[in-house]
Amino acid sequence: MILYVLGLLLVPVLFGVVLGWYGLDPPQAERLAPVGSEAHQLLNGFPDDRLVVEIAAPPGEGPTGASVGLLWMRMNETLSKMSISFEVETIHSTATSFTTADLWNLEAATRTTWPGPGQMSLFYLFVPGSYAGDSSVIGLAYFGSSIAVFPATIAAAGGSAAVTSTVMIHEFGHELGLVGIVGSAPNEDPAHPYHSADPNDVMYWAVDTTAILSGLLGGGPPTQFGSADLQDLSTVRSTVIVLEVLPCVVLAAVFGGALAVVVYHRRAHRRGSPPLPSTSK
Ligand SMILES: [Zn+2]
């Protein structure tokens, strides 16, 4: 009887897990999710406690070890993941100008790791050409876990590996919902939506384009998130999303209910048992 009840209770458990962990953001939908919409899942260690960062680049055009190391450091400072690992892919393309659709097509043909249960992923595409929409663009977050970097545009404008580091961290910041995609964003520059007005903040508005190389930054390319950014990330990270905690709530309710059934069953059994037969010698 008890096993039968426990078997029946598995149904809501499975329902809760599926609705919470898959229903919140199905892996398929995460592929084309808007920039910043994955912020909570990226920042939190639950339910996705791993992050895989995939970097795809033409031969010899990927980021330096120092750029990847700095990005990894900023990720560790902002995300609550158990593990953050990097994978590298090589791409080959003869195109020289890329629309957002072209970026997506190249990504879809290259990317091997996607967000899924227990794991988030970020994809950096080092594009072998320039951005068709604006040839001054050096970095672009174009979907919720998809980032493009344009190394040829950076090099043509006289940029260095330090600029690449800044762009990689800046676009990562957009995927975390900065500036003002989520959060209160008191540092947002009214003249440049979703960007900081502070040139010492890696989310400064000039970082997306070659404007970063036009002498605006006396102290060099910024690589740190500003205090307002970090406050917003902290708020978003600690926000409770009902669907994310639903599996835990359902599990607690089901096992609490099962325990109550067992206790009730045993008490009823004790109350209903006949008195012990008297023995006589
Ligand atoms: Zn930007």
Side-chain angles (χ1 to χ4, degrees):
M1 169 65 183
I2 290 176
L3 283 178
Y4 177 71
V5 170
L6 286 175
L8 276 181
L9 289 176
L10 274 178
V11 174
V13 171
L14 291 174
F15 178 74
V17 170
V18 169
L19 188 66
W21 288 348
Y22 290 80
L24 175 69
D25 234 339
Q28 191 65 32
E30 284 185 340
R31 299 180 180 205
L32 302 176
V35 174
S37 64
E38 308 292 284
H40 188 77
Q41 292 98 309
L42 281 167
L43 285 162
N44 262 287
F46 177 86
D48 304 316
D49 66 352
R50 300 186 306 280
L51 172 67
V52 178
V53 183
E54 195 174 335
I55 299 173
E61 291 192 40
T64 63
S67 291
V68 174
L70 195 54
L71 176 65
W72 181 79
M73 198 184 298
R74 293 292 171 266
M75 287 177 162
N76 275 290
E77 288 166 358
T78 51
L79 312 181
S80 304
K81 299 297 184 198
M82 288 290 286
S83 78
I84 299 173
S85 59
F86 286 78
E87 294 179 2
V88 177
E89 308 283 347
T90 302
I91 56 172
H92 299 277
S93 172
T94 54
T96 55
S97 181
F98 291 78
T99 63
T100 304
D102 295 331
L103 297 177
W104 165 245
N105 288 335
L106 190 51
E107 174 182 354
T110 309
R111 184 169 176 176
T112 60
T113 311
W114 298 91
Q119 173 180 292
M120 287 302 292
S121 81
L122 273 178
F123 183 74
Y124 279 86
L125 179 63
F126 276 66
V127 184
S130 59
Y131 185 52
D134 178 350
S135 61
S136 72
V137 166
I138 61 174
L140 179 73
Y142 55 99
F143 286 129
S145 66
S146 307
I147 291 167
V149 177
F150 298 85
T153 307
I154 294 173
S160 60
V163 172
T164 303
S165 305
T166 294
V167 171
M168 291 180 82
I169 298 168
H170 177 98
E171 305 309 334
F172 168 60
H174 282 317
E175 300 294 18
L176 298 184
L178 297 173
V179 173
I181 300 174
V182 295
S184 59
N187 57 332
E188 186 175 18
D189 184 346
H192 301 95
Y194 309 125
H195 289 91
S196 169
D198 178 4
N200 297 312
D201 183 342
V202 73
M203 298 314 294
Y204 187 53
W205 63 267
V207 174
D208 280 319
T209 69
T210 50
I212 189 181
L213 297 162
S214 60
L216 286 163
L217 304 166
T223 60
Q224 305 258 15
F225 290 112
S227 57
D229 297 330
L230 294 172
Q231 182 58 50
D232 268 350
L233 295 183
S234 175
T235 304
V236 173
R237 188 191 300 108
S238 58
T239 301
V240 174
I241 293 181
V242 173
L243 277 175
E244 276 186 8
V245 296
L246 187 63
C248 291
V249 172
V250 172
L251 279 170
V254 164
F255 285 107
L259 190 63
V261 167
V262 171
V263 170
Y264 177 81
H265 185 79
R266 287 194 171 173
R267 283 188 178 168
H269 183 75
R270 273 207 300 272
R271 275 201 304 273
S273 56
L276 290 171
S278 56
T279 55
S280 55
K281 293 181 180 173

